[in-house]
Amino acid sequence: MRVSIDSDVCIGAGQCALTSPDVFTQDDDGFGTVVEGREDGTGTLVREAVRACPVQAITLHDPDGEVGG
């Protein structure tokens, strides 16, 4: 599974970083980013962080081609 954040959609609410800080962080401007090296989406509470995003800026890409977010 791969995880990504659409920077054009993100509003910087920070719910991803609060929910799953081992996978998500915030940049200098306060917008969500994926921690370098964690793009594979493995970590604690990743799916919960996706659901917590108020604007659905986070997408999970499953290896079998399914997209969720």
Side-chain angles (χ1 to χ4, degrees):
M1 167 171 51
R2 294 197 48 85
V3 63
S4 63
I5 297 178
D6 186 337
S7 60
D8 292 331
V9 176
C10 179
I11 61 170
Q15 295 304 304
C16 57
L18 288 172
T19 304
S20 184
D22 55 333
V23 176
F24 302 100
T25 190
Q26 289 181 285
D27 65 15
D28 292 339
D29 296 320
F31 294 101
T33 61
V34 178
V35 172
E36 188 173 330
R38 299 310 296 261
E39 297 86 358
D40 61 2
T42 57
T44 58
L45 302 173
V46 173
R47 291 188 186 275
E48 287 80 359
V50 172
R51 287 191 285 273
C53 181
V55 293
Q56 293 81 44
I58 306 168
T59 304
L60 291 176
H61 306 272
D62 289 328
D64 60 2
E66 292 184 31
V67 176

